[in-house]
Amino acid sequence: VGRYNIRDCQLAYTTKDMFSTDEYRCVKKISALSLGEKIGGDAYNYCRMCAGDNLVVMESDLKPYDFLPLVPIIKNSGGFINDWQGNDLNLNSGNKVIATPFVNDDIINNMV
């Protein structure tokens, strides 16, 4: 994973249907800071990010079995994965995940 910031990255998510109206408004706010959107791809987006593509992945409506297996893969590739508040992921994390190839504080701060 390279070292980028949101302005160097494309925002990826599986489908806008996975977000509530308020969540999608937040996604569009982050998208406006990025190089654009890549829609579709599901778990492949996380793999591409780990392989060095400049992607930020934001998703909602996930279950722990969707994101917990990704945690060691993303962290061992040098990336970051958290909930939308910046907290580490666990079984009780809720359903919103953000994964980045850089420290994601600037994204989380722009989501509020």
Side-chain angles (χ1 to χ4, degrees), residues 25 52 83:
R25 196 173 302 124
D83 67 15

Side-chain angles (χ1 to χ4, degrees), residues 3-22:
R3 293 291 170 234
Y4 306 100
N5 64 51
I6 186 60
R7 286 155 188 80
D8 299 320
C9 292
Q10 195 174 24
L11 179 64
Y13 54 91
T14 301
T15 177
K16 73 177 192 170
D17 297 331
M18 71 183 348
F19 302 109
S20 70
T21 302
D22 288 340

Side-chain angles (χ1 to χ4, degrees), residues 10-102:
Q10 195 174 24
L11 179 64
Y13 54 91
T14 301
T15 177
K16 73 177 192 170
D17 297 331
M18 71 183 348
F19 302 109
S20 70
T21 302
D22 288 340
E23 291 169 350
Y24 191 61
R25 196 173 302 124
C26 183
V27 168
K28 295 306 279 184
K29 185 177 179 182
I30 299 305
S31 176
L33 300 172
S34 74
L35 292 176
E37 296 178 359
K38 183 209 170 294
I39 302 169
D42 207 10
Y44 182 62
N45 293 326
Y46 298 96
C47 296
R48 286 186 49 213
M49 187 196 77
C50 290
D53 287 356
N54 56 340
L55 289 177
V56 167
V57 184
M58 288 182 73
E59 295 196 299
S60 183
D61 197 28
L62 300 177
K63 306 287 187 264
Y65 53 76
D66 293 319
F67 58 79
L68 286 179
L70 297 168
V71 172
I73 297 167
I74 291 170
K75 288 185 174 189
N76 284 321
S77 74
F80 301 86
I81 184 167
N82 306 92
D83 67 15
W84 283 22
Q85 287 74 44
N87 301 310
D88 288 336
L89 298 173
N90 60 55
L91 286 172
N92 301 310
S93 290
N95 64 356
K96 294 185 271 299
V97 173
I98 183 168
T100 60
F102 53 85

